[in-house]
Amino acid sequence: MLDQKRIGAAAREERAAALDAWLTGLFDRAVGEHARAGDPPVPGVALVAVGGLGRRECSPYGDVDLVLLHGPRDVSGLAERIWYPVWDARVGLDHSVRTVPEALAVAREDVKVALGLLDLRHLAGDPELSGALRSAAVDQWRRGAPTALPALREVSRARWQAHGELAFLLEGDVKEARGGLRDVGVLRGIGMAGVADAGRPQVRAAQVRLLDVRDALHVSAGRRVDRLLAQDRDAVAELLELPDGDALLRRIAQDARTVAYAIDDAWRAVDRWKSPGKTGGPRRPIGRDVVARRPIGRDVVAQDGEAVLARAAVGPRPDPSLSLRVAAAAATHRLPIARATLEWLASFCPPPAVPWSPVPREALLTLLGAGPAMLPVWEACDRYGLVSGWIPEWIRLSGLPQHHPVHRYTVDRHLVQAAAEAASYAREVSRPDLLVLASFLHDVGKGLPGDHSVAGAPVASAIAAAIGLPGPDVALVGKLVRLHLLLPDVATRRDLADPVTIRSVATAVGDVPTLDLLYGLTRADAAATGPGAWSEWKGRLVADLVHRVRATLDTGEVPPAPTPDPALVAGPLPAVHVEGQRVAVAATDRRGLLAAVAGCLALHRLDVVTADTATVDGVALVQCAVQTRYGALPDPGDLAADLRRAVLGQLPDRLARVARAARRPDVGARVMWHHDVATDADVLELRAADAPGLLYRVARALEEAGADVRAARISTLGGDVVDAFYLVGDWSDPTVRAEIASAVLDAAG
């Protein structure tokens, strides 16, 4: 019946026409069967479409939303004669049977139903009944707008909280996320209430392209799906005749930004239209001027809840710093910038001349230091092209995807988010201005060849110089960008008890103020990346590293290694502590201890997320953060008992099952050797895809190869692991190193 392989506006119209004809036929046949069965006649009945079919926006595998309208007679038998053929055809169906008063009553109680009735379209039966409901629904919506619109806003906010912002997500829902198709419907509802113009050409064009994306996603998946996953990007891009998945994400980001900005502007119009704190009618007609103006900065005033230009600032030769000063004032006072002001600034205000003078530079730093309040202001300025005028490099970064699952945002939003996060650490550093600037610039090397930290340092320095920073500050910003991964990389991959580790970081950093800036940048970067980029364990390791490096920079001496928790080693060995998702084992040091612990955890269906091993005075300590592969966590007593038996070598047969477990192919696994990074060991580093039992198999391979593991750092980032093993002994022979590497890679699958 339906062509489910085509995409585009014409295909959607054809699907709507085909559904109209089919459903009309079903209705007519149902009425005929009803009459032939001798059932009472049902005058005054109509079949209407709402939702996507009501708007004639039928996606390849979308549902059909239908309402059977009727008068006082029961029509349940007629309804079943319509619904069952739809179900038999395997078409998704959302249906209801209501009188006009019932439909209006439900709409009064449920704002989503009310919004849906605005799209009502007659299909079959009595057109006067359909027309009566549509007219009444629109009239009820407009009369009830003072209470319906606030309810709609709360529903929208809850949806945004659940689904995030489509423009900046790497795997966003094109329908439900902020800036997606659902928000176009909200805009239409606000427009039909007579509050704001919801039919801008840019929004309509963005909607058509987002509908095309959803069509292509359905065709690619062969089913109804609205979330664009990473593995689907290239197939969807090909259907849309785009170069690749990155081009697709950039286009989605631009369209979602258009919709999101329009919805923000519409809600501000609602705020102006409705008097605060009242539930009655509108305060005043749209467009009527409000004279109350409050200065919030030079040439900037607050008017009616928005930041607008002061009248004296509008002239033939605007100050090049004006756009930055408006943005800084708006963010500082947590106000949106009025659309008319943004349009004027975009048309008439030039960017500052390079190098910038102090006034625009201080405005930019004030904007970046405003914390979360800077996010909507920055987005609005970016929407009107102001940001690319301030920072030309922004054009390359805008909408740039990131290809690691731990990242939730595109590069541009990640940078802005990092600056917002960094503002919370401003009181911990001597140069808060450089902290927010370096956080904003730390990933400008993304998308360039080579290591993005190294590639980004000169770009960041050039931007710092362009905005007029003095030479020493320019150099420091470049250094912070170049070293922004130093602390988390060392903390999670190196032995912090080894003096060589601490001295190498102290040498790279150079002084305590720079260390404090790097520490703030590290935490801001992690918070802006996503929940998978940080953990209590990682935070503890980074804090410990910073503490030891600071002491070394202050005194010139590496502080002694921390002693183990007395509670862990008190009493006879082995000692085991299990608390929630934390496991700690202390035992007499021996080869294979790490493998025994990892194997026992795998037996209990626990994946090791992080692990930290060390040896102190002949006592080996293994501390792990674990998560259950499926089901509930095991009983702590049973797990502790098995860990003791495993450490004592009493579970060989059961551990052998872990070694025989199926391995996932991983052709991209890599082994790297690091020399001169430890006092008495070489470091073997494995980078591979995570898999059940991986740590056990690798540790067992090292044990069987005769390698003595003095310490280990095990970290999981997204679906990948970076495992560093400190191997004691002479590993200078390349043949021996190759054999060890081969054994580890084989264990990794």
Side-chain angles (χ1 to χ4, degrees):
M1 180 185 67
L2 299 179
D3 183 352
Q4 295 174 316
K5 297 299 182 183
R6 294 181 57 224
I7 64 175
R12 290 190 289 273
E13 282 282 348
E14 291 174 8
R15 279 190 289 271
L19 283 168
D20 285 359
W22 180 56
L23 292 168
T24 299
L26 288 180
F27 178 86
D28 292 340
R29 283 194 295 275
V31 170
E33 292 171 0
H34 188 83
R36 287 192 296 273
D39 293 331
V42 283
V45 64
L47 183 66
V48 300
V50 294
L53 180 56
R55 297 186 300 272
R56 306 186 70 85
E57 297 170 356
C58 298
S59 54
Y61 292 92
D63 288 348
V64 174
D65 298 332
L66 301 174
V67 181
L68 185 63
L69 295 174
H70 65 96
R73 289 185 178 274
D74 176 57
V75 295
S76 56
L78 177 64
E80 291 180 355
R81 289 185 171 98
I82 300 172
W83 306 150
Y84 274 101
V86 178
W87 289 324
D88 290 343
R90 298 184 181 276
V91 174
L93 175 64
D94 187 357
H95 61 90
S96 60
V97 180
R98 291 181 179 133
T99 64
V100 169
E102 286 171 348
L104 294 174
V106 174
R108 281 192 293 270
E109 298 298 322
D110 189 332
V111 69
K112 291 187 285 187
V113 172
L115 196 65
L117 288 181
L118 301 179
D119 296 324
L120 182 150
R121 186 167 62 84
H122 176 79
L123 293 179
D126 185 352
E128 292 187 2
L129 191 62
S130 302
L133 177 56
R134 177 171 173 78
S135 297
V138 172
D139 181 64
Q140 179 173 284
W141 177 257
R142 288 174 175 165
R143 285 187 290 104
T147 54
L149 291 179
L152 181 59
R153 174 180 275 183
E154 290 308 309
V155 169
S156 298
R157 284 174 173 166
R159 173 169 50 81
W160 296 343
Q161 183 68 28
H163 294 280
E165 296 188 66
L166 179 59
F168 308 114
L169 292 171
L170 298 173
E171 294 188 333
D173 189 309
V174 297
K175 183 178 181 181
E176 302 292 349
R178 184 173 182 270
L181 292 167
R182 186 75 74 185
D183 281 336
V184 177
V186 173
L187 276 171
R188 190 163 50 250
I190 296 173
M192 292 190 73
V195 178
D197 175 18
R200 302 178 199 169
Q202 306 97 309
V203 174
R204 290 199 297 271
Q207 178 194 12
V208 169
R209 286 190 291 268
L210 289 173
L211 286 169
D212 290 348
V213 171
R214 186 175 66 172
D215 284 1
L217 187 53
H218 283 205
V219 171
S220 173
R223 58 187 175 86
R224 177 186 173 183
V225 58
D226 296 325
R227 187 181 178 201
L228 179 64
L229 299 178
Q231 61 264 29
D232 299 324
R233 286 182 206 145
D234 287 340
V236 172
E238 183 177 357
L239 288 170
L240 294 172
E241 299 181 351
L242 294 173
D244 52 34
D246 286 3
L248 171 66
L249 279 186
R250 283 180 181 264
R251 197 179 83 170
I252 291 173
Q254 187 63 34
D255 291 333
R257 280 175 152 173
T258 298
V259 174
Y261 185 78
I263 199 78
D264 286 347
D265 198 46
W267 284 123
R268 289 197 293 273
V270 171
D271 290 337
R272 293 191 297 270
W273 172 77
K274 188 175 181 299
S275 178
K278 295 184 179 181
T279 58
R283 178 181 63 188
R284 58 184 172 80
I286 284 293
R288 181 175 296 174
D289 191 25
V290 174
V291 296
R293 296 162 71 90
R294 172 173 56 88
I296 58 174
R298 184 163 67 91
D299 297 326
V300 192
V301 298
Q303 175 183 301
D304 221 10
E306 296 179 322
V308 302
L309 287 172
R311 294 186 178 93
V314 180
R317 291 188 176 182
D319 182 350
S321 69
L322 183 58
S323 61
L324 284 154
R325 290 190 285 108
V326 170
T332 300
H333 291 270
R334 291 173 169 75
L335 293 174
I337 305 175
R339 180 170 55 163
T341 294
L342 287 164
E343 291 171 346
W344 190 91
L345 290 172
S347 300
F348 301 108
C349 184
V354 175
W356 293 7
S357 66
V359 172
R361 180 174 66 252
E362 290 305 317
L364 174 64
L365 295 173
T366 298
L367 172 61
L368 294 176
M374 63 93 67
L375 296 172
V377 173
W378 186 275
E379 175 59 21
C381 292
D382 194 14
R383 176 79 184 86
Y384 282 86
L386 298 176
V387 173
S388 57
W390 304 335
I391 304 171
E393 291 85 351
W394 193 252
I395 297 173
R396 178 180 63 82
L397 298 168
S398 184
L400 183 65
Q402 309 200 66
H403 296 287
H404 197 288
V406 76
H407 277 279
R408 59 181 171 181
Y409 292 134
T410 53
V411 172
D412 53 341
R413 175 54 187 269
H414 173 67
L415 294 176
V416 179
Q417 189 74 38
E421 300 287 350
S424 62
Y425 304 113
R427 296 183 180 182
E428 300 180 14
V429 298
S430 60
R431 292 295 303 272
D433 54 340
L434 297 189
L435 173 61
V436 296
L437 181 62
S439 297
F440 171 66
L441 298 176
H442 75 279
D443 272 354
V444 292
K446 291 281 180 72
L448 298 176
D451 184 322
H452 77 276
S453 300
V454 176
V459 178
S461 296
I463 294 173
I467 68 172
L469 284 178
D473 289 352
V474 169
L476 182 52
V477 168
K479 182 178 182 179
L480 292 172
V481 171
R482 178 170 51 84
L483 298 179
H484 77 269
L485 295 178
L486 176 67
L487 297 181
D489 281 356
V490 170
T492 56
R493 302 176 189 176
R494 298 292 176 262
D495 181 9
L496 304 189
D498 194 322
V500 172
T501 300
I502 306 304
R503 288 198 186 96
S504 66
V505 175
T507 300
V509 172
D511 55 64
V512 171
T514 302
L515 177 66
D516 291 338
L517 288 169
L518 270 180
Y519 188 32
L521 172 52
T522 296
R523 289 174 286 171
D525 183 15
T529 297
W534 200 251
S535 64
E536 179 186 352
W537 171 84
K538 190 171 184 178
R540 175 179 58 80
L541 288 179
V542 173
D544 185 30
L545 173 62
V546 170
H547 171 74
R548 290 170 60 76
V549 171
R550 180 180 286 112
T552 301
L553 291 170
D554 281 339
T555 66
E557 299 292 333
V558 177
T563 57
D565 182 355
L568 186 62
V569 296
L573 298 178
V576 178
H577 292 259
V578 177
E579 184 176 355
Q581 294 178 292
R582 307 293 302 182
V583 174
V585 177
T588 303
D589 189 26
R590 69 170 178 85
R591 184 176 295 168
L593 184 64
L594 175 60
V597 172
C600 184
L601 294 174
L603 278 174
H604 284 265
R605 303 188 308 277
L606 293 173
D607 292 330
V608 179
V609 180
T610 60
D612 180 8
T613 76
T615 304
V616 180
D617 297 331
V619 176
L621 306 173
V622 181
Q623 301 180 74
C624 304
V626 299
Q627 64 184 14
T628 179
R629 201 170 309 144
Y630 53 86
L633 288 169
D635 179 83
D638 293 344
L639 176 58
D642 274 355
L643 282 168
R644 291 188 187 93
R645 286 194 287 269
V647 167
L648 295 172
Q650 297 173 359
L651 298 177
D653 294 336
R654 293 175 62 187
L655 292 180
R657 295 207 307 265
V658 180
R660 293 193 299 268
R663 306 176 187 181
R664 299 174 182 172
D666 186 7
V667 296
R670 291 191 301 152
V671 165
M672 293 175 287
W673 287 88
H674 299 278
H675 311 288
D676 302 323
V677 297
T679 303
D680 59 351
D682 284 0
V683 176
L684 181 147
E685 188 173 279
L686 169 67
R687 301 190 179 197
D690 195 14
L694 174 63
L695 177 58
Y696 170 73
R697 292 194 297 273
V698 172
R700 181 70 182 274
L702 291 171
E703 176 191 355
E704 292 175 346
D708 186 5
V709 180
R710 174 175 65 76
R713 286 286 187 276
I714 312 301
S715 61
T716 305
L717 197 62
D720 294 336
V721 297
V722 180
D723 297 348
F725 302 92
Y726 281 68
L727 307 184
V728 178
D730 181 8
W731 299 97
S732 59
D733 187 336
T735 302
V736 175
R737 289 203 306 270
E739 291 175 351
I740 289 287
S742 177
V744 168
L745 288 173
D746 181 64

